Amino acid sequence: MSEIGLHMYLCLAALLFSSGLFVVLSKRNAVFVLIGIELMLNGANLVLASFSQIDLNGQIFAIFSVVLTVCEVAIALAILLNVYKKYATSDLDDLQEIGNG
Amino acid sequence: MNLEDQLTEIINNLQFLKVESTLMLGAILLLVGGMITKSGILIKSVYAGVILLAFYFNWQGLAVGSTLSESLFLTSTSQHFTAIFLLSSLIILLYKRADEHATEFYFLILSLIVGSLFIMKANSFLVTYLAVELTSFGAYILTNFSFKKKAHEAGIKYLLFGALSSAIMLFGFGLIYGISGSFYLSELGSFDLELVGNAGILMMLFGLFFKASIVPLHVWVPATYQEAPNDATAILSIVPKLGALVLIQRIYSIVQSEWILNLCLILGMLTILSGVLSALRQSGARRMISFGAIAHSGFLFPFALILSETSIQAFWWYAVAYAIMNVAVFYFLEEFESRGLDRLEDFSGLGDNNPIMFVSVTVLLISLIGLPPVAGFTAKFFLFTTLWEQYQSDGQLIFIACLVVAVFATVISLFFYLRIPYYLFLVKEQTSRSIEFSFWTKFIATLFSIVLLLLFFVPQILTVMQQLLKSTP
Amino acid sequence: MILIVQIALFIMTLLGVGIIVLSKNVVHAAYALALVLVSLAGIYVMLNSELLAVVQILLYAGGVVILLVFGVMLTNRLRNGKLLTHSGNTFVAALISVSVFASLLYLIDKIPLMSLGNSEAGNQIGQLGVSFLTDHLVAFELIAFILLVALVGASYLAKMSSDE
Amino acid sequence: MSIELLILLVLFSPLIGGLIEAFVRKGSGLIPSVFIGLSFAISLILLFVTDSPEFIRWEWLNSFLIGIQLDKTATILLLLVSFISLLVHVFSMVYMKEDPGVNRYFLKLGFFTFSMFGLILSDHMLLLFVFWELVGLASYLLIGFWYRKEGVPSAARMAFMVNRVADIALFAGILLLSAQVDSIFLSELSGQWFLLPSLLIAIGAFGKSAQFPFSGWLTKAMAGPTPVSALIHAATMVAAGVYLLYRVSPFLHESVMTMIAIIGAVTALYGGISAMTQNDLKKALAYSTISQLGYMVLGIGVGSAGASMFHLWTHAFFKAGLFLAAGSIIHYFHQLSENGGQAIDSQDMRRMGGLKDKLPVTFWSFSICGLALAGIPFFSGFISKEGIILSSLVWAGQKGTLAYLIPDIALLTALLTSFYIGRMFFLIFLGEPRRTIKQSQIVYSEAAAIRIPLFLLAAGSLWVFYNWNPMAHVSWVNTYFDLGSVPEGNFFSAFITLVAIFLAAGGIVLAYFLFKPGARTLRTYTTDTRSVSILGRNVFNGFYLTQSYQGLGLATYIFSKKLAWADKKIIDGFIHFFAVGTVVLAKVVDLIDKLIVDGLVNLSARIASFFGRRFSGVHSREAQWQLIWLFIGFVLILTWILFF
Amino acid sequence: MENILSYIFLFPLLIAAVMLFIRSDSTGIFKRLALAATSVQLVLSLFLFFQFDKSTVISNWADAFQFVEKIDWINMKLGSVGVLNIDYFIGVDGISMPLIALSSLVLLIGVIASWNLTEKTKGYFILYLILSSSIIGCFIALDFFLFYLCFEFMLLPMFFLIGIWGGKRRSYASIKFFLYTLVGSLFILVVMIGLYLSVVEDGANTFSLIGMMNGSYSSDSFLDPASGKTIFGYSARAVAFIFLLIGFGIKLPMVPVHTWLPDAHVEAPTAISVVLAGLLLKVGAFGFFRILYGVFPDMAVEYAGTIAIIGVLSILYGGLNALAQNDLKRMVAYSSVSHMGFVLVGLASMTSEGAAGSLFHMVSHGLISPALFIIAGVIYDRTSNRQMENFSGLAGKMPVYTFFTALFFFAGLGLPGLSGFVGELMVLLGVFKTTSLPIWIGLLATSGIAVSAAYFLWTIQRMFFGKYFVREKEWESRMIDLDLREKLMLVPLGLLVLILGIYPRLILDVSESTINFFTQHIANSIP
């Protein structure tokens, strides 16, 4: 078979997930972190889509998840807007006011 | 089955969505109402009406088993916990809340509850995921609702954690789905999940751990609880947490694998320990209580993993006690914070000032520690009993370990919970301040402590309540 | 042919990911994300998930990326005319990511082989539509409510931020 | 009146008298004296009406009987105690008249007498122990009577503590015994006891009777008022140990009996030597008492308990007499110092002298009692002491050669005894007053309350009351003590008697030569405190004819000095060291308590807070670090699931 | 008078509830109400004491209890455990009867001791009355849950009473106290649950202590002696026993878990020290009687040696520590440790003499130690100081005070004729009589008496004898002899100490049949 097999898709998904994770953990900018999360979610979606060969449920799940992601990003940006307003930065490092004392 | 039959059946089964539908429609009604009027009282009464109606429906309707094309799975446990959610969301009306954000606030609270109800009742992966996300969205937004600087910080952090854990969860669903081809929780038990499936379940559980604030997904709790408005925090600390635990209980009852038990109990112990140990060093009242709430998740956790009848009932009992304690404790914090009492030192020597209020607080804190004669003790007592009994029946040492950790943590929790009464009564006041509370506040405070005492002395109230829920008309 | 397309899509995706990981500029990253998303849409098509691909392009590539770019614009000060960010904990982050990746690969390796592309092309959209209103009615209802919540929440928050 | 009632009357009337004196009608001791008199009278009646032992028993603890008995021994001892107590009460009426605490004093005295009666009447060993302790308490209270004076409180405490330690042994012995034998009623004792209880009980007796090495407390006890010393620390309480040994001696383990004999002998010698160089009047008498108690214990050890009890009886008379005489002397000097307005040490014998004319009754009674003590024929001491020496000889004959040390020591002590009492006599009464006091201004005469007791006690020290034969060694009193007989006299015994008389007389003569009025020793005695060098001057300027005597005397003198020092330093010191050591140990234990036991608690708190800190790292403010923590957890768990 | 026990138990609570509704600025009323409440309590318990039937024949633990009241309290279905049945189940036997009488007396005296309190009287007396009820409750509870409730509920009032009204380091002391005893009670809680799951009565699991003591285990349950279950390789019963030993040992207190006691005593106000020493320690000891020995007689036999050694250690260690103290109250506190050691030794002997002696010693110590704390309080009230070296020769200045001090000191050091002696005597009789303990234990325990004499006498010498001296000039004017209030507290205690010393059967008769059954119960468990 000349086509790329299921496993390759899954590996791509894993790669997306892990590199998203790397971005989340290492980039300071909140938007960047969001991008990382998007990557991770896409990785997960890819898993679902790959398995949607069994029945349609996988695809449906993925569609719903895309919708949810959009909502999430919208909320995140709304909050980020507020944060920027108050902190004048969107670097997570600079958000360190909450703590003991 | 042809489409027509399917649709008819769905229409027939829609009645099982009565509670959720009521809440959702009520939420929309609230939103619409908010456009018409800014009157806080009106909004609150609509909210109360919706909750009461939902409560009525919850009391009325009971079906056990899967329904709506297996999307949902109803159990009596979920019905009981629905009652807890509704009641506690009713109680938060006692909190002071300016009319300014009332519409959106109560709308989001309702959405949060809907989400949690679906978490408990979800059967298909999709609904589970959506319910978790719905709950999270409500929670993310509510965290910002004090519109203070730090609130947004807490909000964005909460959201990032949440999104991450939902990504993990989604990946987990993908794996389970891929390996089993199944799309329903109730079918999990009928497959050999093997390694991949187990990893998927683990990743799925991570998402639930996040909701239930179990180690290591508890890190968002202190910041969120600290910065969200108090009434929102009360709900956040009760509703999603219990919902997730109920779902974990159901998942475990389906899968029942050894490793889940061990993993969860170990994480439960870690949760307890990390909660109490971290709380030791806090100097802000609310932050300390937040860590206490983490510890309580750990205390609640074993119930979800022990499937004896005792455990199920004790779970309900502990949950009720926990709900009442948390609603009460955040009520008090609200009252104190509005008078500038944030840090523990601020409480110095206030004990004489307003005995009724502060004695009630002390009663409440004792209950949180788990000492007699208040409900918290009975709850802990049931926890210990459950663990003992489970150990007695299957002899796994991990239950004893859990018991030891729980006992040990109870001692430590003495240290930090008691610091508030310590400052109140034992530390002498440097400058004389006068803190006044309204009669109404004092009345509510007393009521809370009376309820806590009553639950200790007449614990059967709750079983009777359970019975009442069961004997639907 | 299909293989070439597939490989191209894979390469595009990897390219996008690489840019995101290595870039310091948020805007570049956002564009790279768009690239990744579009390529993924292509991959979905390869996986016989056309509706998903459509949704991906419409919502993700169209919605999310634009939102993100706006987000970047609204919430970042320019540094030397560029939207640069720095990163930290790179080593630990890389370590964790690599170990996660390794674990996932290990898992994937355990998944039994399945052949692709044997699903009936048929009336997939129709089936999906029916399934939305039957099997996944609750989810459908729920997502509607979630959209409402997100809408109300996000707009309210945004409003509050601009009010002050 | 039934005998039970009489017994109870005897027992309680001193206490009632004391209570009335202290709380109801505060007088100067008349009422307590009357009540004691009542006890004495009843005792006298009891002596004649009691044929067979009387028992009173009651259930004190559940199914645990205790009781009292009145047998012959008890009656005669009751008589003795009540008699001496009566005299001391009367004496005290004058002696203590001006003391502000006189009412308290009589209460304590009454309490003591009550306890002593109880001790004598006890049938059950536990009851005996009860009164034993009460007697000790009374002694403590009376020694500490002048609690404000320097050294008095610590003296009282030391006396009580030394007693207490021995009492613990007795207590343990009794308890051990109660578990091993059927009955611990004194009247029902039987069999041979095991070593441990025997030993413990003997140790208890040694404590109360000031035997070596417990003797130290008795000299300390002299801090109390002198009449008290006469009653408690000479006549009655200290004899309680002897009494107990008398009661249990037939049942004691054999080796313990030998030990008793040895301890008695050692104590007798030790007391005698120490008494020789004392300057303090009461100290000298105290050492003498120790020595005499040693005799009694020795007697019990050699199996002639009856003889010991007889010596107890006679000793009670002459030693009480001596103490009361001492009290009279001290009282005299007190009067002098109060009237003359100058503080003087009223007990230093070196500064006395010439009191013969000032205190004639005292002089005569002291002489008689002193002769009795010295063991001169025609006085009671001779008869009783002879019994003990003879018994020890007989005993030694049965035991073997080495055992002859015991009678030898007894004889040697007889010499020492007469020497020191002679020395005291000469120092106090003869010659000129070695003290410059304007005595002429004061007219002092001995009050009747002083004269009568002295007279009676002196009279009681004469031989006639005991046996018409002045050379006998038994008397009618012996018939009241039917445990342990006194051997019959024979030629050998007559020889020994002669030796004893010779020794006694020799001692007095020796003392006369050293301390006669005008003797060189005395001239510098008052001023020079370096007594060894005084003796050195004696050697060269004095009696060089008896160089060898002097050499021996010097050695003895130096040795006695050393012994006194040793007594003070080593035995007291040992007790002191023991006390200090205990305190040090206690401090160390306290430190351990603070550091380790508490330390553990604090340590665990510290550990808890350490972990608290580490955990709060998870809750650091940096969101991404939290995420990293989260994923470390995730990876760990995942790995666990995957690979295990 | 049918529910007399309930009246004794609940009357103070009722009065406390009444106090809640009185305005807190009317200070005088609270102490009077508290006095009334405790007086009524005392009268009722004296009535009970003399009504108690001493001659019952006991063949079963159920026979031992009189004035039994049993009301269903909590009755809820709890899953597979069945019905969670907790009863309001109270009664007295010969062991608890003397302690109840003692408690009501000491509590009354405690009220008198706090008569001069002016600060926050309302809170103080409410807490005090709650404390009284809990103490009595511990002694009369026949339901383990009820017992535990009362046991635990003594902590909180105590915590606040020490923490709010205490001395300089009160917060440290109160937290230490709370921590220690909470740890102890959690140990007990765990065992309690285990017992509940193992003991059945009438076919249902039960908290009934009678059922537990009678040993009606459900077959093959965890703590059933016959089942031979183990935890970590140790016999389950042994583990439970050790847990209880620690739990009640902390309360007792036994060495080495005693260090909370000196701190708590020193910092507590006089009245609270009185209650603490007089009663709370007795609750710990009562736990030994009722639960350790009552429910686990087989383990008690097995661990007799351990308990005896701990007891002897407590006696000597406590005594030596007391000797080292300069603070009067601290000295008394350590002496309590020493004295409670006798209770352990007596119990370990497992003879009726030893057990009765332990009980008697508890009562006797319950009279002596409150008095000693009152005595320490007298000097503290006058000078705010308790260091022994700051005082000397008080005997001349304060003769009545000195008299009482000496009386109670001598009672403490076990002088015959006073109650302290009887307890020690009986304990030692038991120890020497039993065959299960070596002789040296008895000898060491006896030597403890000498140690106690040493520290008491030394204290008398230092503080009361010698030349009159007080450290500060300003104290001079305050060194007055006992006033009426103080005499009112000390005289009854002194009289009782004397009476019990001479006529110990006042207590012993009451407890005789129960104690005999108790020892027989232990003896029966020896296989």
Side-chain angles (χ1 to χ4, degrees), chain B residues 199-217:
Chain B
I201 286 182
L202 172 72
M203 291 167 95
M204 175 182 75
L205 284 176
F206 256 63
L208 295 176
F209 289 170
F210 172 77
K211 293 276 93 178
S213 61
I214 300 295
V215 164
L217 290 114

Side-chain angles (χ1 to χ4, degrees), chain D residues 7-18:
Chain D
I7 292 172
L8 292 180
L9 212 54
V10 172
L11 186 59
F12 283 104
S13 68
L15 189 61
I16 295 165

Side-chain angles (χ1 to χ4, degrees), chain A residues 17 40 44 51 55 57-58 61 64-65 68 71-72 76 79 82-83 86-87 95-98 100-101, chain B residues 126 129-130 133 137 144 149-150 152-153 157 159 163-164 170-171 174 177-178 183 226 281-283 343:
Chain A
F17 190 84
M40 291 174 76
F51 287 124
D55 54 20
N57 284 338
F61 204 148
F64 276 96
S65 133
L68 277 181
C71 296
E72 197 151 28
I79 296 175
N82 279 296
V83 171
K86 299 273 159 64
Y87 286 81
L95 305 182
Q96 290 197 25
E97 283 205 3
I98 305 176
N100 188 23
Chain B
L126 181 54
Y129 183 67
L130 288 176
E133 289 296 282
F137 289 177
N144 292 278
K149 192 179 177 189
K150 287 185 191 171
H152 302 306
E153 180 188 335
K157 285 180 178 173
L159 185 133
L164 249 174
L170 191 62
F171 206 99
Y177 170 65
F183 202 61
Q226 199 177 346
R281 299 176 49 77
Q282 305 307 323
S283 54
R343 306 173 58 74

Side-chain angles (χ1 to χ4, degrees), chain B residues 9-10 12-17 63-74 121 123-124 184, chain C residues 135 138:
Chain B
E9 198 195 328
I10 286 171
N12 285 338
N13 286 343
L14 273 180
Q15 55 160 325
F16 298 123
L17 278 176
V64 176
S66 63
T67 181
L68 284 164
S69 328
E70 296 192 75
S71 289
L72 299 183
F73 193 92
L74 306 181
K121 298 175 179 176
N123 192 31
S124 84
Y184 298 100
Chain C
D135 289 346
V138 177

Side-chain angles (χ1 to χ4, degrees), chain A residues 1-91 93-94, chain C residues 2-3 6-7 10 13-14 17 20-26 29-30 33 36-37 40 43-44 46-52 55-56 59-60 64 67-68 71-72 74-77 79 84-90 92-94 96-97 100-101 104-105 108-109 111-119 124 127-128 131-132 135-136 139-140 143 146-147 150 153-155 157-158 160-162 164:
Chain A
M1 190 103 184
S2 57
E3 288 171 37
I4 292 172
L6 177 65
H7 273 124
M8 283 316 289
Y9 288 105
L10 291 176
C11 289
L12 183 66
L15 184 77
L16 282 171
F17 190 84
S18 331
S19 36
L21 180 60
F22 175 78
V23 171
V24 168
L25 296 183
S26 64
K27 304 292 181 184
R28 294 304 194 207
N29 192 300
V31 180
F32 228 135
V33 173
L34 268 178
I35 290 174
I37 290 175
E38 295 310 315
L39 280 182
M40 291 174 76
L41 285 166
N42 270 293
N45 264 350
L46 186 53
V47 174
L48 284 165
S50 319
F51 287 124
S52 72
Q53 310 310 312
I54 307 165
D55 54 20
L56 287 176
N57 284 338
Q59 201 187 146
I60 291 171
F61 204 148
I63 292 170
F64 276 96
S65 133
V66 170
V67 177
L68 277 181
T69 313
V70 177
C71 296
E72 197 151 28
V73 171
I75 295 171
L77 287 174
I79 296 175
L80 210 56
L81 222 55
N82 279 296
V83 171
Y84 187 71
K85 202 103 190 167
K86 299 273 159 64
Y87 286 81
T89 177
S90 56
D91 265 19
D93 271 5
D94 299 333
Chain C
I2 292 177
L3 185 66
Q6 278 177 334
I7 291 172
F10 267 64
T13 315
L14 290 176
V17 170
I20 293 173
V21 169
L22 297 174
S23 160
K24 285 191 171 172
N25 193 319
V26 188
L33 181 66
V36 173
L37 295 175
L40 277 174
I43 289 175
Y44 292 153
M46 295 286 113
L47 288 165
N48 297 327
S49 307
E50 289 85 3
L51 185 61
L52 178 58
V55 170
Q56 173 93 0
L59 286 180
Y60 246 132
V64 172
L67 268 178
L68 283 174
V72 173
L74 282 172
T75 63
N76 281 279
R77 250 174 290 179
R79 252 174 248 173
L84 292 181
T85 186
H86 48 92
S87 43
N89 313 325
T90 322
V92 185
I96 291 173
S97 310
V100 168
F101 185 55
L104 292 179
L105 285 185
I108 289 163
D109 187 47
I111 295 175
L113 278 170
M114 264 186 275
S115 56
L116 279 180
N118 54 353
S119 75
Q124 209 193 38
Q127 280 179 14
L128 283 172
S131 138
F132 279 149
D135 289 346
H136 301 296
F140 204 66
I143 195 96
I146 291 174
L147 278 168
S155 61
L157 283 177
M160 291 307 289
S161 84
S162 58
E164 287 163 31

Side-chain angles (χ1 to χ4, degrees), chain D residues 292 307 310-321 367-388 456-467 469-478:
Chain D
Q292 295 304 308
F310 179 43
H311 192 59
L312 187 156
W313 170 281
T314 58
H315 175 256
F317 275 86
F318 62 69
K319 190 51 69 62
S367 314
I368 293 170
C369 295
L371 289 170
L373 174 64
I376 303 294
F378 298 103
F379 298 99
S380 61
F382 173 80
I383 306 178
S384 55
K385 207 188 276 184
E386 226 40 39
I388 292 174
L456 288 173
L457 289 170
S461 302
L462 292 172
W463 86 102
V464 284
F465 292 100
Y466 304 104
N467 198 327
N469 176 5
M471 306 299 270
H473 54 265
V474 287
S475 87
W476 57 270
V477 179
N478 282 70

